[in-house]
Amino acid sequence: IGAVVARGAQPGLRVVPVRCVVRALVVHVAVVAGGAELAVRLALHVLVEPGGAEHRLVTPLGAVEPTGPCDEAYYCVSSAVSADPRDGPTGDICPNGTYCPAGSAHPVQCPAGTFSGAIGNSRLEDCAACTAGSYCDRNGLAAPVGPCPSGFFCPAGTLA
């Protein structure tokens, strides 16, 4: 405790160890800086002296800046602790019908006229042209919507 109190002490002051109660709380904070969201872990220590006086000290427990972008084929939403999260709330592997370049905050949907049934795509080229004889009329498809209607023909990549 003496070292923690000494860190904030004025030069020339003497630190006398006192029996204190220490309460600690770890806080996860999302900070937006320069357009990027940063995840920060802080510890709040509250030192309570026998007389009831409180001293608060906040110290960082984690990075105050991102360590790097999310891996390709993954997306990192917020507070991710790895470049390839798989827990859902902080990110995950890119689902079918989408692709995720390195540094993705959200999956990018395959455009209309394409589809992808695979997970973990990382490039637009991973979205396949709609199968000949079928149509793909919207973004983010995992499979063609259906067969070409009677009286029409649908070459590969048909939108509707």
Side-chain angles (χ1 to χ4, degrees):
I1 293 172
V4 172
V5 175
R7 200 178 313 159
Q10 297 289 329
L13 291 179
R14 187 170 58 118
V15 176
V16 179
V18 181
R19 186 169 188 79
C20 298
V21 176
V22 178
R23 297 186 312 245
L25 172 68
V26 175
V27 181
H28 295 270
V29 180
V31 178
V32 177
E37 188 170 317
L38 314 175
V40 181
R41 288 178 57 216
L42 301 173
L44 171 63
H45 301 277
V46 180
L47 303 155
V48 183
E49 295 179 11
E54 291 186 1
H55 304 279
R56 290 178 166 80
L57 177 67
V58 178
T59 56
L61 291 178
V64 292
E65 293 185 9
T67 24
C70 199
D71 285 349
E72 65 178 26
Y74 293 86
Y75 63 96
C76 298
V77 179
S78 178
S79 302
V81 295
S82 73
D84 57 352
R86 288 191 168 237
D87 62 358
T90 67
D92 216 328
I93 192 162
C94 218
N96 54 24
T98 67
Y99 62 98
C100 298
S104 293
H106 300 283
V108 180
Q109 293 185 339
C110 291
T114 68
F115 73 97
S116 177
I119 63 170
N121 295 323
S122 61
R123 304 171 308 135
L124 173 60
E125 293 78 20
D126 293 330
C127 300
C130 197
T131 311
S134 301
Y135 69 99
C136 300
D137 64 350
R138 59 186 171 272
N139 297 339
L141 292 175
V145 173
C148 194
S150 297
F152 294 90
F153 71 97
C154 299
T158 298
L159 300 176

